[in-house]
Amino acid sequence: MNKLVKPEGAYPAIIGGERVFTAQSIEVIDPATGKAFATVARCGAQEVDLAVAAARRAFSTWRLTTAAERGRLLSRFAQVITQHADELAALESRDTGKPLRQAKVDVAFSVRYFEYYSNMVEAVFGSVIPAATDRFTFTTREAYGVTGHIIPWNYPLGIASRTLAPALAAGNCCVLKPAEQAPLSSVRLAELALEAGFPAGVLNVVPGLGAEAGADLSGHTGIDHVSFTGSVPVGRKIAEAAAGNLIPAALELGGKSPNIVLADADLDVVTPVVASAILQNAGQTCSAGARLLVHRDVHTELVSRLKDIFASTTIGAGNTDPDLGPVISALQHQRVSELVEIGRDEAELIHGGGRPAGAAYEEGYFFEPTLFDHVAPQAAIAQREIFGPVLTVTPFGDLEEAVAIANGTDYGLVAGVWTRNIGRANWMIRELHCGQVMVNTFSNGVELPFGGRKKSGYGVEKGYDALLAFTHVKGAVVMMSKD
Ligand code: ADP
Ligand code: MG
């Protein structure tokens, strides 16, 4: 490990409470310009080894802290993040390209995760089990030990906080590998954790490439659990690496989530939410509402309203706070473009379809809000995750058909249902094959468990369930005696 002098604009790894600069670094790109504006450490096997060892050392005392102590630290961390909210939002907006106000929401979510688990940490109980009367039989909940966390670039701060807060609350020590496309807020988060008073080594961050630091971490024999959010192919690799070490993995992968609008829905409420469910973060959201399934009675009206919103969407660099920023990278722009080209032959393009016209959009990775109508359920654009600001519209005739289309992809993450009929809403909740259903809204707080079915992965994030998921249960039996 080389602790080199900090070059200008260089972000380190955080290992055992130290800022660590590596010999090689990675350029960090501003998606609005395509130009580098910072560099970050490029960790490899050596740094990952050191981070895992630092976490293991820290665990020897962290495991003996009380829930109340950890709760207080998490709460102080939430305050420190709040004090740095503007700085973090500006950094996140620059690094990911997302509109500033969306980055501010991400910071608020980050704060909320640490606050939520700081409150909840004292509610982790074992149980006393009625068994033979000559012995005392009970369970306790224990932390795994060292947990690995590999996260993507779309909501770096939000997802880092989502996975770290319950892991730390449960008493684990963490090693986080942020995505190479947007690593900076993770580094700042670890620095702020030290400022908040977390002991050295409890939270380590090893920026680097997926095939290097990512693979080194997920395959490391010194970790006890791995959490991953990202793509299906990499999720499979993480699961294989975890299987090699016989440790549990939690995988939050992609989605192709539907918003299902029944004929009785209030279109005034539906329209802006359905639009923002795909345009927020330029559609680069695992739980984006990427497919609109709409009853044929309201189909024409809703598409016309959506077209108006898409046409009036402002586009620009994230820090100018437009409605829509660029996508993350040239590669992502190309992926979106290719699927949209396929879509032109499959469906009716209503709006958008490519890079917006104008000099301001030539350098960065901008893509127009794009709306396809009359999309067949089996079309490639209705089946494959596009991860861009592209909405497909498919009309349906009855509820059975709507559910069949909704369930008819490889994914199963979330679904939105829009109706004022409570019986139908409840029937849909039962029949939809996904981890979360939202009725007459498309927002979900930190409190509601979140996790996929099918190729959307397995494991659970958020809510009380995520806290329990970072523990395992120990059973104990103690014989009674009078002497
Ligand atoms: P995307 O395709 O959207 O960029 P990925 O699934 O490739 O998403 O990336 C999510 C995270 O997984 C990133 O932190 C990335 O560096 C990491 N990653 C990529 N490849 C591997 C790998 N082979 N092993 C472990 N982590 C990886
Ligand atoms: Mg970036």
Side-chain angles (χ1 to χ4, degrees):
M1 176 168 59
N2 299 296
K3 288 185 196 169
L4 304 178
V5 179
K6 179 183 161 104
E8 199 57 34
Y11 285 71
I14 307 290
I15 300 174
E18 304 263 345
R19 291 178 175 75
V20 176
F21 293 92
T22 51
Q24 286 186 296
S25 57
I26 299 170
E27 289 198 327
V28 180
I29 307 293
D30 178 344
T33 62
K35 305 227 163 39
F37 70 99
T39 64
V40 72
R42 177 173 168 180
C43 293
Q46 203 186 350
E47 289 79 17
V48 170
D49 271 348
L50 288 166
V52 172
R56 180 64 59 193
R57 269 195 309 281
F59 184 63
S60 65
T61 46
W62 187 244
R63 64 186 277 273
L64 300 176
T65 54
T66 64
E69 286 168 325
R70 294 195 302 278
R72 276 195 290 274
L73 263 179
L74 287 166
S75 167
R76 202 173 311 146
F77 193 18
Q79 286 165 16
V80 172
I81 296 167
T82 303
Q83 284 156 10
H84 292 80
D86 289 345
E87 176 216 323
L88 285 167
L91 187 65
E92 191 81 326
S93 172
R94 183 98 195 261
D95 202 356
T96 63
K98 69 177 67 194
L100 192 57
R101 63 183 179 278
Q102 292 178 22
K104 286 181 178 167
V105 171
D106 294 359
V107 176
F109 261 88
S110 166
V111 169
R112 182 72 188 121
Y113 280 116
F114 290 102
E115 180 188 66
Y116 181 71
Y117 288 106
S118 79
N119 290 330
M120 186 165 281
V121 59
E122 293 191 77
V124 178
F125 300 121
S127 46
V128 176
I129 298 168
T133 52
D134 61 348
R135 64 202 67 185
F136 190 56
T137 304
F138 65 99
T139 64
T140 56
R141 288 261 166 196
E142 293 183 342
Y144 275 103
V146 177
T147 51
H149 305 259
I150 298 173
I151 62 164
W153 41 259
N154 54 345
Y155 293 85
L157 191 59
I159 293 175
S161 307
R162 182 177 83 188
T163 184
L164 293 173
L168 292 168
N172 301 280
C173 292
C174 304
V175 181
L176 174 77
K177 209 297 279 178
E180 50 271 44
Q181 296 87 348
L184 302 185
S185 59
S186 294
V187 176
R188 281 301 287 141
L189 198 63
E191 289 176 340
L192 296 177
L194 292 169
E195 202 176 308
F198 277 90
V202 170
L203 170 53
N204 307 275
V205 174
V206 285
L209 302 177
E212 297 177 359
D216 292 332
L217 179 58
S218 55
H220 203 285
T221 52
I223 64 170
D224 303 302
H225 181 286
V226 62
S227 294
F228 171 76
T229 301
S231 64
V232 173
V234 177
R236 197 171 280 123
K237 287 187 188 174
I238 304 285
E240 283 165 4
N245 289 324
L246 287 172
I247 60 167
L251 307 177
E252 203 265 89
L253 310 177
K256 192 71 182 175
S257 298
N259 258 311
I260 308 167
V261 179
L262 276 53
D264 72 329
D266 180 350
L267 294 192
D268 290 344
V269 180
V270 170
T271 312
V273 181
V274 165
S276 76
I278 189 64
L279 298 183
Q280 175 188 296
N281 210 36
Q284 305 166 117
T285 306
C286 350
S287 57
R291 293 184 293 152
L292 170 61
L293 313 183
V294 53
H295 191 276
R296 57 179 171 235
D297 288 355
V298 288
H299 164 238
T300 309
E301 172 64 17
L302 183 52
V303 169
S304 137
R305 290 185 186 205
L306 284 169
K307 185 184 176 188
D308 290 346
I309 294 192
F310 278 40
S312 63
T313 296
T314 59
I315 307 173
N319 55 15
T320 65
D321 208 17
D323 300 327
L324 182 69
V327 297
I328 188 77
S329 63
L331 177 63
Q332 193 60 24
H333 195 274
Q334 185 193 330
R335 285 176 181 162
V336 175
S337 305
E338 283 171 8
L339 273 164
V340 166
E341 287 315 304
I342 293 173
R344 284 175 193 271
D345 297 329
E346 290 180 326
E348 189 183 333
L349 180 65
I350 301 291
H351 186 81
R355 185 183 288 276
Y361 304 120
E362 275 163 20
E363 303 289 312
Y365 313 126
F366 295 97
F367 204 95
E368 292 172 296
T370 298
L371 184 61
F372 282 107
D373 195 8
H374 297 289
V375 181
Q378 293 310 315
I381 53 170
Q383 288 289 322
R384 287 164 61 184
E385 188 180 41
I386 300 176
F387 232 58
V390 182
L391 181 64
T392 66
V393 184
T394 303
F396 67 83
D398 64 37
L399 258 57
E400 302 254 356
E401 186 188 357
V403 165
I405 298 171
N407 289 342
T409 73
D410 286 342
Y411 296 103
L413 196 51
V414 309
V417 174
W418 299 86
T419 177
R420 286 176 277 198
N421 181 314
I422 193 165
R424 288 179 179 171
N426 276 299
W427 183 82
M428 303 279 276
I429 291 169
R430 193 190 68 192
E431 294 300 316
L432 287 166
H433 196 27
C434 61
Q436 210 177 62
V437 182
M438 294 164 277
V439 179
N440 295 331
T441 178
F442 204 74
S443 66
N444 48 9
V446 308
E447 306 86 357
L448 191 63
F450 175 79
R453 307 283 189 269
K454 301 189 279 184
K455 293 211 169 49
S456 293
Y458 51 79
V460 61
E461 311 262 2
K462 301 186 170 189
Y464 184 58
D465 297 77
L467 183 55
L468 285 189
F470 279 110
T471 68
H472 40 197
V473 67
K474 177 181 276 177
V477 54
V478 183
M479 289 304 293
M480 293 178 187
S481 80
K482 278 190 290 189
D483 353 281

